[in-house]
Amino acid sequence: MGFGTRQISSSKAGDYGWIKALTQALKLGFSEEVVLTGLYQISLPHYEDTEVMIILTITASVCGTETVTALYGETIVIPCNSGAPVPKDLMFIKWKYEKDDGTPGDLLIKQARNDQATVQATDSYAQRVSIDDNFSLLITQASLKDQKTFTCMVVSDTNLMEFPVSVVVYKKPSSVVIMDKSEVLQKDKPVTLGTCVATDANPAAVISWKKNGKPLVADGKAVVVTPSIKLDPATGLSTTSSTLQYVATKEDIGAVFACMSTHELTAQETDLEPFPIHYPSEKVSLQVMSKGPIVEGENVTLKCHADGNPPPSSFFFHIKGQKIPVVNSDTYTLTAISREATGKFKCSLADNEEMEASQNIIVNYLDLSLSPTGKVVKTKGDTMSVKMEKSASGEAQVSWTKNGKAVKQPEFSNLTYADAGVYECEASVTGLTRSQSFQLVVEGKPVITSLTKHRADDGKHKVLTCEAEGVPEPIFQWSVNNTNEESSYTNGKAVHKITLTPKMNLTVTCNVSNKLGEDVKTINVSSAFKQTTLDALLERFCVSLVCVSRIAEAECCCLFSGSQEDSEDQAKLIVGVVVGLLIAAAVVALIYWLYMKNSRSSDSHYKSD
């Protein structure tokens, strides 16, 4: 810094008159070498009341301005000379400030030899200023009015320095809120989402908008941002507001908009809840609320749906030429639908009938008739016709079963007992099945088909078996007493067994009967006891031999006790005897041949001798 020289005269007596003169020079705004010339009265030893002309040359300088940042409402701390140590020959430190009109104003002064500072301020600062041990100026309850330049003047024996400090007071926004929020957005229409307000800040906050975390850039069309700043004249604080106008699309469904307030001291973000977006319907659809194919007689619900938001709540249902209005609902129910309802159904918006949708509905139906039905009783050998008719909405699949097993469609030209049973006809189309049935009963008087006998395993009893056919089930009667009866009846076939112990040859009768008639058969049964005497055996052998050789067959039959029974055990006995006799005859013939051969050999030898 360059210095000039200026001479200032003062004739005021006193120890510190020169200081006041120097102060006057500093007030003139000079940073220069100052020569003070004056007549001063000083006390010297042995020289009382002596006035001496003293010329003082003191260097005064003003340093560059610093800046201190303070918080609104807090205490401002303004360091003197950035907190550097004061000169050792310090005389005093004085704080002053620059008033609004540019004139200086005194705040306080602190002498080096005094512990207490003297407050010189007479305005609002009188109760707010103080000085600490480091000679820093303290100002309580900082406000924007404190944004001034404060100067620390350091005066020593040989120097005078001034240190100006500029004070800036910051205040972050008291709140950041979004006001006048919109409830909904309209597709392709500009809507004001809301106004973001950051209140009472210094300097004024800067507001921006985001969508899904990304900045929204105003383009004057889809995004319009209107900012404004208001200054409170009482406090000097600024309130910033920003209004966002936005043109939404369907893609903005669920989007999160946010307001960002940026300030030197802080940054705050406030989110908006996602907006519902209203848009008109672009497509209408008609849905048939049925889990499967539609069957005649069911209730069928039609539902009309439009893709607008909010969804329309009023529709027209077009049912077979009739336009049926439905309010506060999107469904219509057809009760007990019939086959005549098959065709096209439509629905449309109540406020725009051009927006419509249609659906073809097919009502499935199936009619099945069968003749005969129920229980049918026929006689064996009869004929019976079976007639089945069907009517269906599509190609019906028909199947037959007899007693639960698959068969072909029955045709009866000559009924038998095996034809009896339960016949069921089942027809089906998509989603629908019908069935009809009849029970066929074939009746006939009983006929004995077989009457047999055989010896029991123990060899002591005879078992007789009588088999017959007939419906209803025939009743068996025998002409002899019996034990261990067994019977069964299946599909018109009856079997009855009895066990006998005959002591003599018998003729046994089997009688079967039902309500339609009866049948009878007989069978000869021989005694269960064997002949063991030799005479009886020879007699049987002779008879058998005669019978086998077919000589006097009539006499053979007569000799057989007059019986026509070809007993199984008698036949075995006869065959055994015949085989034994043949073997015996063969042995005799062999002996005879050997005998004859030896005889001839002996004769030849004799003649030779």
Side-chain angles (χ1 to χ4, degrees):
M1 176 183 297
F3 293 92
T5 301
R6 180 179 295 259
Q7 182 173 343
I8 299 176
S9 299
S10 175
S11 61
K12 186 176 181 180
D15 291 343
Y16 300 105
W18 64 271
I19 294 177
K20 293 181 179 180
L22 180 58
T23 301
Q24 180 182 358
L26 292 175
K27 289 179 180 180
L28 296 177
F30 298 107
S31 294
E32 57 188 28
E33 185 179 90
V34 179
V35 178
L36 300 179
T37 304
L39 182 63
Y40 296 91
Q41 181 178 0
I42 59 176
S43 298
L44 297 174
H46 308 293
Y47 298 95
E48 294 182 1
D49 300 327
T50 301
E51 291 183 353
V52 179
M53 178 68 68
I54 300 176
I55 299 175
L56 298 176
T57 301
I58 299 176
T59 300
S61 62
V62 179
C63 297
T65 303
E66 296 183 23
T67 301
V68 170
T69 300
L71 298 179
Y72 188 88
E74 303 292 331
T75 297
I76 306 173
V77 179
I78 308 174
C80 180
N81 190 18
S82 301
V86 298
K88 293 182 179 181
D89 57 347
L90 177 68
M91 297 176 64
F92 66 88
I93 288 180
K94 181 177 181 179
W95 279 96
K96 58 183 178 178
Y97 73 100
E98 183 181 358
K99 295 182 179 180
D100 295 337
D101 58 3
T103 62
D106 294 333
L107 291 175
L108 56 77
I109 185 171
K110 185 175 186 303
Q111 302 289 340
R113 63 177 180 268
N114 292 334
D115 293 333
Q116 298 295 327
T118 301
V119 177
Q120 296 174 318
T122 58
D123 53 13
S124 62
Y125 283 116
Q127 303 299 322
R128 297 169 55 209
V129 296
S130 62
I131 192 170
D132 64 10
D133 294 339
N134 294 324
F135 301 102
S136 297
L137 178 65
L138 306 180
I139 304 175
T140 61
Q141 299 176 356
S143 68
L144 299 192
K145 293 181 180 180
D146 296 324
Q147 295 189 121
K148 295 178 171 59
T149 299
F150 296 84
T151 302
C152 175
M153 186 174 67
V154 180
V155 180
S156 64
D157 291 342
T158 59
N159 202 355
L160 186 150
M161 297 289 292
E162 287 191 346
F163 302 97
V165 180
S166 177
V167 173
V168 178
V169 178
Y170 283 171
K171 182 182 183 302
K172 68 179 182 180
S174 300
S175 63
V176 179
V177 295
I178 299 178
M179 305 172 62
D180 303 326
K181 302 176 187 177
S182 175
E183 294 183 357
V184 298
L185 300 182
Q186 297 286 343
K187 178 180 177 290
D188 299 331
K189 292 182 180 180
V191 175
T192 300
L193 270 69
T195 299
C196 185
V197 180
T199 59
D200 298 336
N202 188 64
V206 177
I207 294 178
S208 60
W209 291 89
K210 292 182 177 182
K211 185 184 80 171
N212 295 331
K214 297 181 179 180
L216 273 176
V217 180
D219 57 10
K221 297 179 181 178
V223 180
V224 178
V225 177
T226 304
S228 66
I229 298 177
K230 291 183 179 180
L231 188 65
D232 188 335
T235 62
L237 298 175
S238 300
T239 295
T240 305
S241 62
S242 177
T243 301
L244 174 62
Q245 189 180 73
Y246 188 75
V247 179
T249 64
K250 282 187 177 181
E251 288 70 23
D252 291 319
I253 295 175
V256 176
F257 292 84
C259 157
M260 171 67 76
S261 169
T262 304
H263 187 265
E264 279 76 359
L265 298 178
T266 184
Q268 292 177 261
E269 184 171 323
T270 303
D271 291 342
L272 285 168
E273 293 293 331
F275 291 94
I277 299 178
H278 286 185
Y279 48 87
S281 298
E282 298 175 354
K283 184 179 179 182
V284 177
S285 62
L286 179 61
Q287 184 179 3
V288 180
M289 307 297 290
S290 178
K291 294 181 179 179
I294 298 174
V295 177
E296 186 177 38
E298 292 182 341
N299 295 338
V300 178
T301 299
L302 305 178
K303 182 175 182 179
C304 197
H305 174 74
D307 61 354
N309 188 37
S313 59
S314 298
F315 298 90
F316 285 125
F317 286 88
H318 303 265
I319 311 296
K320 293 298 180 180
Q322 295 183 345
K323 186 170 71 174
I324 302 174
V326 174
V327 180
N328 296 327
S329 177
D330 59 356
T331 62
Y332 181 77
T333 300
L334 300 166
T335 57
I337 194 168
S338 65
R339 65 190 67 181
E340 289 77 16
T342 296
K344 180 180 287 188
F345 291 77
K346 295 194 302 182
C347 75
S348 62
L349 299 181
D351 57 355
N352 184 6
E353 292 189 41
E354 294 182 356
M355 296 287 295
E356 65 176 24
S358 62
Q359 188 74 262
N360 284 319
I361 292 181
I362 298 176
V363 180
N364 292 287
Y365 64 90
L366 176 60
D367 297 330
L368 178 66
S369 64
L370 181 65
S371 177
T373 58
K375 185 176 183 179
V376 180
V377 179
K378 292 289 183 178
T379 303
K380 180 182 178 183
D382 288 353
T383 61
M384 188 182 78
S385 63
V386 178
K387 185 177 181 181
M388 183 273 297
E389 294 181 349
K390 63 182 185 300
S391 175
S393 55
E395 184 65 28
Q397 302 295 323
V398 180
S399 62
W400 286 86
T401 60
K402 176 189 175 184
N403 298 329
K405 296 182 179 180
V407 295
K408 296 181 179 179
Q409 182 171 344
E411 296 179 359
F412 306 110
S413 59
N414 183 16
L415 287 172
T416 65
Y417 295 124
D419 293 327
V422 177
Y423 292 82
E424 183 177 18
C425 175
E426 183 178 274
S428 61
V429 293
T430 303
L432 195 60
T433 300
R434 296 281 188 268
S435 63
Q436 294 282 347
S437 65
F438 66 88
Q439 180 184 4
L440 175 61
V441 178
V442 180
E443 294 185 343
K445 71 175 185 177
V447 175
I448 296 175
T449 58
S450 173
L451 180 59
T452 61
K453 61 184 178 180
H454 69 274
R455 186 180 296 275
D457 294 338
D458 59 4
K460 298 180 181 180
H461 300 85
K462 299 291 182 73
V463 178
L464 304 186
T465 302
C466 187
E467 298 181 6
E469 291 183 348
V471 177
E473 180 179 357
I475 299 172
F476 287 81
Q477 290 182 339
W478 297 86
S479 60
V480 293
N481 294 329
N482 57 79
T483 59
N484 299 329
E485 291 189 17
E486 297 180 15
S487 63
S488 63
Y489 183 71
T490 305
N491 296 329
K493 294 182 179 180
V495 178
H496 199 270
K497 295 181 181 181
I498 61 174
T499 302
L500 300 177
T501 309
K503 298 180 180 179
M504 62 183 68
N505 296 335
L506 298 174
T507 298
V508 180
T509 302
C510 175
N511 180 283
V512 293
S513 64
N514 62 14
K515 67 179 183 179
L516 301 178
E518 64 178 2
D519 192 13
V520 177
K521 271 194 176 184
T522 61
I523 188 172
N524 293 323
V525 181
S526 62
S527 171
F529 298 98
K530 299 179 180 179
Q531 298 180 12
T532 58
T533 63
L534 180 59
D535 294 339
L537 181 59
L538 292 174
E539 179 184 358
R540 289 180 182 275
F541 168 70
C542 293
V543 173
S544 300
L545 184 62
V546 172
C547 291
V548 170
S549 61
R550 296 186 179 276
I551 299 173
E553 183 175 355
E555 295 175 358
C556 173
C557 293
C558 181
L559 289 172
F560 237 94
S561 302
S563 172
Q564 300 297 323
E565 178 186 2
D566 295 331
S567 160
E568 177 182 348
D569 39 342
Q570 286 179 349
K572 291 179 180 179
L573 179 60
I574 292 171
V575 171
V577 172
V578 170
V579 171
L581 292 175
L582 291 175
I583 293 173
V587 171
V588 171
L590 179 61
I591 295 171
Y592 178 75
W593 179 77
L594 293 173
Y595 173 77
M596 291 300 296
K597 182 179 180 181
N598 290 333
S599 296
R600 289 174 182 175
S601 297
S602 297
D603 289 342
S604 297
H605 181 70
Y606 177 76
K607 288 180 179 182
S608 173
D609 290 339

